[in-house]
Amino acid sequence: MTTRSRGMPRRSTPTPSRGTPSRTWLVIGGVVALVVVAAIVAVLLTGSAGAAEPSTSLTVSGTVLPAMPAKGANDDAVGMQLPTLSGTGIDGQPLSIGPTGSPQVIAIVAHWCPHCQAEVPRLVTWLRDNSLPDGVSLTTLSTSIDAARGNFPPSAWLDREGWTAPVLSDDAASDGLAALGVSSFPGFVFVNSDGTVAARATGELEPDQVATIAGTLT
């Protein structure tokens, strides 16, 4: 017969440390705080960049125009048919730039370009009291869009300036800009009613200059 020792203490369940729940809640609280901070940072970053432009793709049909020549040289694009750029306007609606059967002026602007920032309000002011010749329309290509540069998004910038002409958003590769053969801003393409290029120009132009060239369109 086996005799159980009376001197052996009974095994007892360890009592949880009183500090354990506090440490657990501290960890949970820290995780929640990190999530909240991350959310705030995300909101601040989004706000600093401004509302994004509509995500766009752009297709080009027709023959692209050659690059603009050096100042004073003949422009080989004159007489060529304007290619058609199809994509999305800054209002998010489908929009195209191309032959319309009427003469037109295409203004090419970049939101971060200081010369564009000077040209746009100048034209807006002039157009309040004047107009292009009868039948000549004004359209716009917003190009070289970059969220890391000033005046982003271009839709907000053009709205602040009171720009009312239709605006087509170029794609990330600036394919529309390349198709028009322009490499500096602001740029202008003057187009006859038959869709042929009459002239191109870059740099700041006085509104009277724009109107004078537009008056030669057929």
Side-chain angles (χ1 to χ4, degrees):
M1 179 175 179
T2 303
T3 303
R4 184 177 298 170
S5 171
R6 295 177 181 270
M8 290 291 291
R10 290 187 177 182
R11 184 177 299 172
S12 61
T13 302
T15 302
S17 169
R18 292 184 178 181
T20 301
S22 298
R23 287 198 299 270
T24 301
W25 283 110
L26 182 61
V27 171
I28 293 174
V31 171
V32 171
L34 287 174
V35 171
V36 171
V37 170
I40 293 173
V41 170
V43 170
L44 290 176
L45 289 176
T46 301
S48 65
E53 296 297 274
S55 177
T56 62
S57 61
L58 187 133
T59 59
V60 177
S61 57
T63 303
V64 302
L65 302 181
M68 287 191 64
K71 188 174 182 180
N74 291 331
D75 188 351
D76 291 336
V78 173
M80 289 183 60
Q81 191 77 9
L82 181 73
T84 296
L85 318 180
S86 300
T88 306
I90 58 173
D91 59 359
Q93 300 301 311
L95 184 66
S96 294
I97 290 178
T100 62
S102 300
Q104 61 180 306
V105 178
I106 303 167
I108 304 165
V109 297
H111 61 92
W112 46 265
C113 162
H115 298 290
C116 300
Q117 292 165 19
E119 184 74 33
V120 165
R122 184 184 298 129
L123 286 171
V124 167
T125 299
W126 186 87
L127 288 169
R128 285 177 186 153
D129 301 315
N130 304 274
S131 61
L132 294 175
D134 288 345
V136 178
S137 62
L138 175 64
T139 56
T140 320
L141 177 67
S142 171
T143 188
S144 302
I145 301 168
D146 185 349
R149 305 188 77 166
N151 262 358
F152 182 86
S155 57
W157 164 53
L158 293 170
D159 184 63
R160 285 196 307 271
E161 297 294 353
W163 189 259
T164 58
V167 182
L168 175 68
S169 292
D170 209 346
D171 60 14
S174 297
D175 287 329
L177 180 69
L180 297 179
V182 178
S183 58
S184 59
F185 326 108
F188 296 90
V189 181
F190 299 87
V191 186
N192 294 313
S193 57
D194 62 359
T196 57
V197 175
R200 293 187 297 180
T202 57
E204 295 181 37
L205 297 183
E206 291 298 326
D208 287 342
Q209 291 178 282
V210 176
T212 296
I213 301 173
T216 67
L217 301 177
T218 59

